[in-house]
Structures are given as C-alpha cells and as structure tokens.
C-alpha cells in the first residue's frame, strides 16, 4: 500500500496551532484513523510543533503528514536552524517536548532549507478501520 | 475559548469552555489577574470540565495562575480536567500539583 | 506575496467529502480567510468535488488548495478522464455542478495523469483579516 | 448526523442535527421509508433547524423523500432551513418546492 501524504503551508500567528491541528485531525480521520484518543494525542503533538515554530521558528512553516502501513509521521519545518531541546520545566514553559515524548513514539530533527524540520512518529493507531484500510 | 465566571462571598469559579492554547492563554492570564486584583477574594477555582483541549502553553498558564494566586494568599484549585486535558496534565506530571487546593 | 498551498491525498469512501471539507476549512481559516459565509460556500464546493470523485472518479484523489492575492482555487484530481458536465436536475441528482456554479466564481477541467483535475476558483473572500494578511 | 423523531396522531416530525452529505443520506432514506411504511401516517415534516451542512447529495435525498411521501398520499414539508443549508436550497432553486406542504 502506497503512502498517503498531506502538506500544508502554515502562516505563523497565534491561531496557527489551532488551525493546524484541526486540519490534521480532519485529514487523519479521512484516512480511516479514527480512534478518538489517538487523534487527541495527534492534535497535541501538532499543537506543540506549531506553537514552537510560532515562538522560535518565524515566518511561514511547512507541515507534512505521512501515513504508511498504519504508521503516521507529522513534521513541521521552520526557518530557524536551532534545534529544540528538552529543558527543565518552570513557570514559563519547558513542557512542549516533554508532552511530545509522552504522547508520541519518537522525534528527530533534520536540516531543511537553511532551517530545520522536526519530525514526530506517532504511536500506532489502535483499531484501524479495516473497511477503509487505506492507511493500513 | 469562553470563560464563564461565577462568584459569591470571596469564592470565584471560572469555568473554561473550548480550547486552551496559544490563541487563548492571554485571556486566562488577563481574567485571572483581574480576579486577583479585586479585593476580598479568598478562593479561586478553575473548572476545566468544559475544556476540550489544552497543550503545554495552556498548562503554563494554569501554573502561572496558581503562582499568582499563592503570591496573593488566595486559595487556588483546578478541578474536573477531562479526557485529553487530563491526559496532558498527567503526562507533564502536574495533575496533582494543580488539582490540590493551595493557599 | 507568495502563494500559500495545501495538498491532501483523499482516499475515497463515503466519509471523504466530510473529512475533506473539514480539512480545507481549517486550512483556509489558518490562512486568515475567516468569513463564515464564505467558508460555508467553500465547504460546499469541496464536498461537491469530492462526492463526484467518489461517484465517478475512483481510487484516491489529490486535493489542492492555493491562495494568492486573496484568490483561492480548490482542485480535485481523479483517475477518470471523463469531464463533468452540467445536466438537468432530476430526483437522482444533477445539482452538484449547478451548486458549484452558484457559489463559486468559475470552474475548469484539465488533463491530469491519465485522469483529470477539476479546478474551482472561489469568490473573493470578504473582509480579509488584515492583521494576518497572509493570503492577501 | 442525528435524527430526532417525534410522532403523534398521524403527524411525524423528524428533526435533523449535524451534517447531511454522502455519509448520512442513506440514514435519511431509510428512516423516511420506515415512516412511510407504517400505517396511519398523514403528515411528515422534516425540520432542518439543527442541520449545519447540506450539499447536493443531501438535497437529492430531500427531493426523494418528498416524492416518496407524495406517492403514499402523505402530506410532506421541509421546514426551518438555516444558514448554508438555506443557501444551497435557494441556489439549486428547490427552497419553495421543498418548504411548501404537498400531498
Ligand atoms: N522550533 C524551534 N526552533 C528553535 N528552538 C526550539 C524550537 N522548539 C523548541 N525550541 C527550544 O526548545 C526548548 C524546549 O521547548 P519546549 O519543550 O516546547 O518548551 P517551551 O517552548 O515551553 O520552552 C525551547 O525553550 C526552545 O529553546
Ligand atoms: N469527477 C467526475 N468524473 C466523471 N464524471 C463526472 C464527475 N463529476 C461529475 N461528473 C458527471 O457530471 C454529471 C453532473 O454532475 P453533478 O452536477 O455533480 O450531478 P450528479 O453527480 O448528481 O449527477 C454527473 O452526472 C456525471 O455524469
């Protein structure tokens, strides 16, 4: 089964995390990935990635979603070459990467056109709708 | 996000409805400081039962509300986080910290 | 101002029109195109295009959205080379193209990889949020 | 989509909530034929006030419901289309046809 992909340009403003996660959840549901708890976790991951891009990345980011054999990777490319790094949480933050690590499988960073791309592999989605099976 | 406020005798309850994220955290910070600035407040409760989404930006706002309340000597408590909101509080290890009344 | 684009693979099943229009509405809102009546019309156009692809196109379709200078084009490519044509409405249909014509600016068809791509230019979105201005 | 049914003395009202499209038209067709098959029905009203979306596939289902009701001699009427639902009925020229009681 070939991969399903989605790409969206996301201009950065304070409404970007919400718009991005709503778009990604709709896309993933359309791919037959309909477990609500799993979609909720995917929404948090997208929200964290885009929020960090708004805060530290700058400009307009490129969001990609890819599903193959039931594995979904969400990635956000921004214009800053600085790599995110987990830090000790305090009152002004430090919980974004921790949340991604808690809810997803793994994350990696790649160079990308002068900036970087943060890629998060989501956990396997439970109970893939077999009738659709499209992302399976 | 919509915040429904309910206040009586030094107790204020703010019920959150909708999604708490980068677009809405300022609203929480503003309304919490307004409450804390008013005289006579003894206890501030944030009711999350109607909140359907909260990411780390939202959690930071809740932690800041707790710190601000403590600094004013106001009892503070987050109650009724549900679903993914509860899961993010658990995953970041702050569920107990926020849902235990402080002051 | 450079164009904003989004692309999504849409596997065809009876939930595809709903998933596609929810994704497109989220994307357009994130681009600052937030007039509710305009978004409602965009949702109908996407729903008609994807429904026709489910009925007559077959397989998995590619949906594209492009915004430049406040003009938005939505297009759906499917595997059938047959061109849609407006027909007289009756009890089993014939209102999809009519609805697209009533709610959008214009539509065209292009050859696309053995099949075709139906492209719909939406009307200008009223009251483009100037603070974001990203799709303006 | 959710259909809330309300019936008394030969009058049945079906209130639609949510979105009517390819994913949900079969539900409408099935529920309408079930109502029409039951004896004693005089009048069937489809209340669209709670419907937030309807495309041409949905309109076809409404037209078919009207035809089926007429064939059974049942008075039929679509009421309270709102927002984009009303706009799609107007744009396809069927608003008056559907909202005028027939039978
Ligand atoms: N997209 C990014 N570009 C550059 N630096 C980033 C990016 N995302 C995160 N970081 C860095 O990683 C740190 C940890 O991120 P995170 O765990 O999300 O917490 P927070 O953003 O609340 O500080 C941030 O403080 C920041 O220095
Ligand atoms: N994607 C498509 N591929 C091939 N033919 C199409 C496609 N979309 C529409 N058509 C043709 O155009 C006709 C009119 O389409 P439409 O106005 O949406 O009405 P309906 O689908 O209800 O018949 C259809 O009956 C069909 O023959």
């Amino acid at each position: 089964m070939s991969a399903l992909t989605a790409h969206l340009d996301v201009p950065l403003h304070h409404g970007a995390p919400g718009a991005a996660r709503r778009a990604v959840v709709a896309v993933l549901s359309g791919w037959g990935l309909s477990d609500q708890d799993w979609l909720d976790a995917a929404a948090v991951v997208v929200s964290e990635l885009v929020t960090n891009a708004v805060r530290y990345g700058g400009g307009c980011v490129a969001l990609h979603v890819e599903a193959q054999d039931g594995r979904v990777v969400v990635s956000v490319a921004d214009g800053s070459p600085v790599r995110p790094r987990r830090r000790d949480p305090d009152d002004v933050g430090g919980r974004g990467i921790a949340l991604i690590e808690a809810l997803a499988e793994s994350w990696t960073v790649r160079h990308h056109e002068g900036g970087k791309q943060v890629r998060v592999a989501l956990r396997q989605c439970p109970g893939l709708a077999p009738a659709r099976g499209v992302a399976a | 996000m919509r915040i429904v406020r309910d206040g009586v005798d030094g107790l204020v309850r703010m019920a959150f409805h909708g999604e708490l994220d980068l677009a809405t955290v300022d609203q929480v910070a503003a309304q919490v400081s307004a409450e804390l600035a008013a005289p006579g407040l003894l206890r501030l409760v944030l009711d999350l039962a109607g909140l359907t989404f909260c990411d780390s930006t939202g959690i930071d706002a809740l932690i800041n509300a707790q710190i601000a309340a403590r600094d004013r000597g106001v009892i503070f408590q987050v109650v009724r986080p549900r679903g993914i909101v509860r899961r993010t509080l658990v995953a970041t290890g702050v569920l107990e910290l926020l849902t235990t009344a402080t002051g």
Side-chain angles (χ1 to χ4, degrees), chain B residues 35-78:
Chain B
E35 292 301 342
L36 293 176
L41 183 68
L42 300 174
R43 187 182 170 110
L44 179 61
V45 172
L46 306 190
D47 182 347
L48 307 192
L51 198 64
T52 55
F53 183 85
C54 179
D55 60 15
S56 71
T57 310
I59 295 173
D60 297 343
L62 298 176
I63 300 276
N64 276 298
Q66 185 181 50
I67 292 171
R70 196 183 51 208
D71 290 352
R72 298 261 172 176
V74 169
I75 300 172
F76 177 92
Q77 192 176 15
V78 167

Side-chain angles (χ1 to χ4, degrees), chain A residues 42-136:
Chain A
V44 173
V45 168
V46 170
S47 206
E48 296 301 336
L49 290 175
V50 174
T51 299
N52 279 345
V54 174
R55 288 200 173 132
Y56 313 110
C60 175
V61 309
L63 190 155
H64 281 272
V65 190
E66 216 180 297
Q68 185 154 31
D69 305 322
R71 314 299 312 188
V72 176
V73 174
V74 175
S75 48
V76 169
D78 68 39
S80 154
V82 179
R83 303 170 75 88
R85 40 175 71 239
R86 190 172 174 158
R87 65 181 188 83
D88 280 343
D90 57 27
D91 53 317
V92 293
R95 293 176 187 82
I97 305 291
L99 212 36
I100 290 173
E101 291 182 355
L103 297 175
E105 190 82 25
S106 62
W107 63 283
T108 54
V109 186
R110 288 186 184 174
H111 291 286
H112 183 83
E113 296 174 12
K116 65 167 171 308
Q117 187 187 46
V118 184
R119 297 169 60 83
V120 178
L122 300 184
R123 300 221 175 114
Q124 183 104 30
C125 178
L128 260 185
R132 304 186 182 166
V134 287

